[in-house]
């Protein structure tokens, strides 16, 4: 019954949204997007043409700021300039930022609450629309998609893959040099693996994820990182996310942590051995969403809301987020599976099902712990 009302509401809101497509006011909807070039291409060449068909009076202008937290930082700096200028209407209407960027923006009063008016908010089933890096972001953000790290392995060499971090430790001792990752430099798949390691070993995992922040909860870290340093004696260090995939594909390593969307994209493009599989390790590996947010004084907040609603709809999530870009959706799988072919469903959920994502898909740590974990790796593991 709940699902019926959700679908009914979606339909009614869609009718309301589409009914306004003949509004003649010319609008340039400016959006700033953190992330790799594929994020910019996604909006510029896929979403903008479709949205502009619905709203012929709207022209979308996409500005990319680059990958990682640095990309989000550039967006925050621009919004801060807008705020400091004292202008009543800001030039940026919608932003796509990492969790770190969302936290920074809320702390500085740079984005507004809007998701009470967003139908898609009711379709979200993970709490990433409510918490980010231990901070309450409820009302301010709507996930665009979810990225997830997982352990990729080659069944040709690994018949019975480790199912947990503990089993992985035993495996690498028996197979030295055949597990590879990139440490904490050159790609987040390695960073996420290290965070997962600390989650596994720490006595305070829930606090590392949800807070509060206090150095006393890092007391067991020297031993945790000493064990990781010992683990690293048996592994191959790769050159970034792509380096891990390349090494896997060439058979130089047999296992390594990867971003799932990148893995499946390479697979679809014929750049990966199609026999390579993925698995999520117990007690979990981190992932992260990208978030939509609306600046506090966006000049076209109404159309920003329509755009977010449009991309978050089940049909668009299925067509682009899952089928085209191999990300995991921002909304529950059940809402978009009617729009996906069996082939796509089999590809994206072949190894990691939604239930496993909910169980083993861990959030990134609280922002200050996140920074401390990376510094600790440099201090105790790379030294």
């Amino acid at each position: 019954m709940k699902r019926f009302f959700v679908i009914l509401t979606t339909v009614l809101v869609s009718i309301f949204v589409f009914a306004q497509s003949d509004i003649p006011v010319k609008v340039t909807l400016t959006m700033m997007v953190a992330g790799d070039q594929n994020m910019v291409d996604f909006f510029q060449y896929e979403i903008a043409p479709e949205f502009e068909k619905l709203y012929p009076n709207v022209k979308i202008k996409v500005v990319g700021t680059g990958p990682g937290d640095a990309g989000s930082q550039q967006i925050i700096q621009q919004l801060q300039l807008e705020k400091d200028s004292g202008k009543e209407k800001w030039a940026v209407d919608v932003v796509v930022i990492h969790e770190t960027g969302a936290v920074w923006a809320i702390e500085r009063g740079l984005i507004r609450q809007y998701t009470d008016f967003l139908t898609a908010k009711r379709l979200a089933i993970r709490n990433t629309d409510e918490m980010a890096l231990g901070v309450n972001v409820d009302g301010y953000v709507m996930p665009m998609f979810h990225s997830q790290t997982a352990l990729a392995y080659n069944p040709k060499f690994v018949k019975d893959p480790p199912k947990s971090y503990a089993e992985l430790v035993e495996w690498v001792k028996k197979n030295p040099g055949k597990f590879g990752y990139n440490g904490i430099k050159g790609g987040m798949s390695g960073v996420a693996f290290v965070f997962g390691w600390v989650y596994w070993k720490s006595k305070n995992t829930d606090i590392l994820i949800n807070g509060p922040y206090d150095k006393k909860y890092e007391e067991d870290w020297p031993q945790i990182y000493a064990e990781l340093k010992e683990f690293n004696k048996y592994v191959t260090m790769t050159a970034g996310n792509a380096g891990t995939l390349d090494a896997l594909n060439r058979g130089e390593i047999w296992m390594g942590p990867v971003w799932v969307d990148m893995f499946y994209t390479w697979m679809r493009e014929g750049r990966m051995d199609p026999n390579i599989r993925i698995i999520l390790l117990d007690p979990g590996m981190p992932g992260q969403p990208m978030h939509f947010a609306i600046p506090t004084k966006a000049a076209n907040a109404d159309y920003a809301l329509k755009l977010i609603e449009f991309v978050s709809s089940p049909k668009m999530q299925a067509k682009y987020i899952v089928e085209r870009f191999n990300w995991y959706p921002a909304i529950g799988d059940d809402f978009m599976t009617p729009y996906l072919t069996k082939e796509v469903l089999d590809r994206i959920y072949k190894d990691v099902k939604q239930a496993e994502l909910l169980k083993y898909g861990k959030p990134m740590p609280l922002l200050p712990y996140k920074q401390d974990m990376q510094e600790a790796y440099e201090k105790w593991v790379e030294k």
Side-chain angles (χ1 to χ4, degrees):
M1 184 61 74
K2 179 182 177 183
R3 186 181 176 193
F4 169 78
F5 282 115
V6 168
I7 293 174
L8 178 63
T9 304
T10 303
V11 170
L12 292 174
V13 171
S14 298
I15 291 172
F16 172 74
V17 168
F18 296 160
Q20 298 184 65
S21 61
D22 60 349
I23 292 178
V25 178
K26 297 291 184 183
V27 172
T28 296
L29 191 68
T30 301
M31 63 184 310
M32 296 188 74
V33 179
D36 289 314
Q37 184 60 38
N38 67 338
M39 291 280 290
V40 177
D41 293 344
F42 169 71
F43 285 105
Q44 189 163 345
Y45 301 117
E46 309 282 1
I47 296 303
E50 294 219 31
F51 190 76
E52 289 165 3
K53 286 179 188 173
L54 286 175
Y55 300 96
N57 60 315
V58 176
K59 185 69 177 176
I60 294 180
K61 177 183 176 184
V62 184
V63 179
T65 58
D69 288 346
S72 288
Q73 179 66 49
Q74 281 198 43
I75 293 174
I76 299 305
Q77 289 172 349
Q78 180 59 42
L79 296 183
Q80 188 66 56
L81 287 173
E82 299 275 355
K83 181 180 181 181
D84 293 343
S85 73
K87 292 187 296 187
E88 282 302 311
K89 299 290 184 183
W90 295 0
V92 183
D93 298 305
V94 58
V95 297
V96 181
I97 47 181
H98 299 82
E99 288 182 301
T100 306
V103 172
W104 289 335
I106 291 172
E107 290 175 346
R108 302 174 191 186
L110 301 177
I111 57 177
R112 66 172 67 186
Q113 290 185 301
Y114 72 95
T115 62
D116 281 353
F117 306 100
L118 192 68
T119 309
K121 168 83 169 174
R122 306 181 188 200
L123 310 183
I125 64 169
R126 300 170 71 166
N127 75 340
T128 50
D129 60 321
E130 299 172 352
M131 297 293 292
L133 308 176
V135 175
N136 185 348
V137 295
D138 193 16
Y140 290 93
V141 300
M142 174 68 196
M144 173 187 160
F145 64 82
H146 291 109
S147 283
Q148 179 63 49
T149 54
L151 185 68
Y153 66 96
N154 191 333
K156 178 180 178 182
F157 306 111
V158 186
K159 305 298 182 187
D160 184 20
K163 296 176 180 56
S164 67
Y165 272 88
E167 290 183 11
L168 177 64
V169 170
E170 295 305 312
W171 189 92
V172 298
K173 290 179 181 176
K174 296 175 182 174
N175 302 276
K178 296 305 179 184
F179 173 86
Y181 80 111
N182 56 287
I184 62 165
K185 294 179 179 175
M188 280 296 290
S189 62
V191 175
F193 176 78
V194 171
F195 291 166
W197 178 282
V198 178
Y199 289 169
W200 166 47
K201 289 286 186 177
S202 175
K203 295 178 294 186
N204 307 298
T205 299
D206 288 342
I207 292 174
L208 300 181
I209 293 173
N210 299 309
Y213 176 69
D214 191 319
K215 283 279 190 182
K216 70 180 182 183
Y217 297 114
E218 300 177 7
E219 289 176 349
D220 53 355
W221 286 16
Q223 179 61 31
I224 290 172
Y225 280 93
E227 293 175 17
L228 181 55
K229 185 174 185 178
E230 175 66 20
F231 173 83
N232 277 3
K233 293 179 180 177
Y234 299 89
V235 312
T236 296
M237 302 310 293
T238 63
N241 299 327
T244 300
L245 288 168
D246 275 333
L248 269 168
N249 195 46
R250 290 194 296 264
E252 295 171 3
I253 61 173
W254 298 346
M255 283 196 294
V258 299
W259 285 107
V260 174
D261 59 295
M262 192 173 179
F263 171 77
Y264 281 128
T265 298
W266 281 41
M267 189 78 78
R268 190 178 59 192
E269 294 173 349
R271 301 167 66 184
M272 290 292 293
D273 178 346
N275 295 309
I276 295 177
R277 308 287 295 271
I278 58 173
I279 189 172
L280 266 178
L281 294 177
D282 182 9
M285 297 177 69
Q288 63 180 354
M290 289 296 289
H291 283 310
F292 283 116
I294 299 178
T296 305
K297 294 188 177 181
N300 301 296
D302 50 352
Y303 281 97
L305 183 67
K306 295 177 194 294
L307 177 69
I308 296 168
E309 193 82 272
F310 180 68
V311 180
S312 305
S313 67
K315 185 176 181 179
M316 299 302 285
Q317 286 278 304
K319 181 177 179 180
Y320 288 111
I321 298 299
V322 177
E323 183 174 352
R324 178 75 175 82
F325 286 90
N326 298 302
W327 291 311
Y328 288 119
I331 62 177
D333 294 27
D334 290 347
F335 299 118
M336 49 146 222
T337 47
Y339 300 98
L340 292 172
T341 65
K342 184 176 184 303
E343 178 186 359
V344 174
L345 285 169
D346 288 346
R347 182 183 76 225
I348 201 75
Y349 294 114
K350 177 181 178 181
D351 293 325
V352 178
K353 308 291 190 295
Q354 178 173 267
E356 293 168 286
L357 287 170
L358 293 174
K359 184 176 182 180
Y360 295 127
K362 300 295 184 186
M364 292 290 178
L366 198 71
L367 186 56
Y369 288 129
K370 181 172 179 248
Q371 294 165 342
D372 289 354
M373 285 183 191
Q374 290 175 276
E375 291 174 2
Y377 187 94
E378 291 183 284
K379 178 180 178 182
W380 290 319
V381 179
E382 289 189 335
K383 185 177 178 181

